[in-house]
């Protein structure tokens, strides 16, 4: 689906708030991670293993926050860069926490291993986007006044 | 991301409620369509063209319903096949309606053309899944009693 | 929050697609049910009782579908009444299924009893809205052509 | 619906991660704000006024982030308090930004006035919860190690 993400960015009447490459990678990573976390929470519930409680919890949070992040990042009209930056930082944090929990169970449950890898890709993509846009969009105009990416 | 979707299905402790191939294709199509519709609604708002009102509306509905469908389909534990079937039918219907609206503007706005194609893939994937699972899972046990796919 | 729902409907530039009273009741019921199901799924996971697996599953589906329904119903611009009708029918069905599962555990777990009641209110509100709008909006104009509520 | 939110908290097998009163108020405020923002974005689109572009944008972001926040706050099992805290801070920030945009149009469009009030209630509720839980849950055990509310 990354090609579709890229084509939607390229055909938008407004320029993207960040370089198209790290932005499309990040949207794709958020969407992939949200799906993996929804599936992993379901798989963990089906394992009937009480030790997985915290893993299920953080996977459900991670799915919700990645999904919200993918939507915020998919919009290019009049972004509030303070909100975008905090969204990326929260997304990176929850993916980190979910990857940590999933890795603890990765030797026993392969779905936790697959999910941890998706979380790790999403953390990296969020941090990559935060790093890139600092440089490029710091003084972008009216919306930059309300905050800026990667501050 | 389709490889991740497939790996999550394969490593789940429960068998998938449908053959892994049309199921993973459908999950992927729902997620791709949801993202495209979120981006297309935003692009249409940025066009400031009053004729796009109905297109924005159906794209927002389509994003919400495709996202919900992708989550329902991502769960394999104890599915209510009546709910799954209605979810697929609704998803196919809203994608059809969104593709119809987007195609009306596809010559003027390329993002509508890209979005219409994603909607069309999702409609096809939902109908493909409804067709496949009729045959395979009609008498699958307790949950089939509450309904069945593609009835 | 129902007063806010009503005020948003009254101040919208477009007339609501259905009478304001059953519509605001239904939006409110969907939102209440989505929250109750999210909380009930979490509570059920924390009970560490394998018998609750199907209850957790349907509660997660119910939360996602009620949330999507609350959004579709909150929009008054250019509704596709076929999509709205199917959304209401699916929402009523998943709430019914979740109420059924929750009631099976209501004597043991009070949160299941509270959740079942929220689901029941939502089913009733969806069916009430489907019944009302059949009569009132059958021939409402261009969008009615694409389908109509409660067909 | 606040009574249902409170009852779900009281009947959960785990103690709430924060005092039940500011927590239930905050969950309710998030859910109310998400619905108001979804409806206000739709109403703004229907006004066909190009000046509303940034208002529509931030309202859509606000709906998505408030909804995700309401879900994170509705879960009491094994919360990651660092994630919860950042979620509250982001929710307060986006509600602030949406209230600011809506207030600019409140004299012209009453729906913007209603939405700004819901956003303001949500900002206050998030900040109230951040303030309360600092005091009460700072040293709550294993999950506090990963972060704490209102740090």
């Amino acid at each position: 689906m990354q090609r579709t993400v890229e084509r939607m960015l390229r055909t938008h009447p407004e320029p993207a708030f960040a370089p198209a490459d790290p932005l499309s990678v990040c949207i794709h990573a958020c969407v992939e991670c949200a799906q993996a976390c929804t599936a992993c929470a379901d798989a963990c519930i089906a394992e009937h293993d009480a030790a997985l409680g915290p893993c299920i919890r953080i996977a459900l949070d991670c799915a919700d926050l990645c999904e919200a992040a993918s939507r915020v990042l998919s919009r290019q009209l009049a972004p509030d860069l303070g909100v975008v930056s905090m969204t990326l930082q929260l997304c990176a944090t929850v993916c980190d926490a979910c990857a940590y929990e999933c890795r603890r169970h990765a030797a026993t449950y392969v779905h936790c291993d697959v999910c941890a890898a998706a979380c790790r890709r999403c953390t990296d993509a969020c941090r990559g986007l935060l790093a890139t846009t600092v440089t490029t969009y710091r003084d972008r105009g009216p919306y930059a006044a309300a905050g800026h990416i990667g501050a």
Side-chain angles (χ1 to χ4, degrees), chain A:
Chain A
M1 66 170 276
Q2 192 160 342
R3 208 173 107 77
T4 302
V5 176
E6 285 161 14
R7 292 194 67 201
M8 292 307 298
L9 284 175
R10 265 208 313 277
T11 59
H12 197 290
E14 297 283 325
F17 72 89
D21 185 43
L23 179 54
S24 67
V25 167
C26 192
I27 293 170
H28 184 263
C30 286
V31 156
E32 179 189 56
C33 188
Q35 194 277 330
C37 286
T38 297
C40 191
D42 181 68
C44 287
I45 294 163
E47 302 289 1
H48 301 303
D49 174 348
L52 291 172
C55 191
I56 297 168
R57 162 60 201 260
I58 195 72
L60 292 172
D61 284 1
C62 196
D64 293 335
L65 293 169
C66 285
E67 209 166 88
S70 76
R71 288 173 161 233
V72 170
L73 297 172
S74 294
R75 299 182 182 118
Q76 309 310 320
L77 171 64
D80 179 316
L81 297 188
V83 168
V84 173
S85 171
M86 289 177 76
T87 300
L88 284 168
Q89 288 169 28
L90 173 54
C91 193
T93 300
V94 72
C95 287
D96 231 16
C98 191
Y100 176 82
E101 273 298 327
C102 276
R103 266 199 306 264
R104 293 180 53 216
H105 306 285
T108 316
Y109 303 117
V110 184
H111 49 79
C112 284
D113 192 45
V114 178
C115 186
C119 289
R120 174 58 54 216
R121 281 193 292 278
C122 193
T123 298
D124 290 349
C126 289
R127 296 206 171 124
L129 186 54
L130 280 163
T132 309
T133 48
V134 173
T135 317
T136 322
Y137 289 88
R138 195 150 214 141
D139 308 303
R140 189 177 170 267
Y143 295 97
H148 49 273
I149 293 279

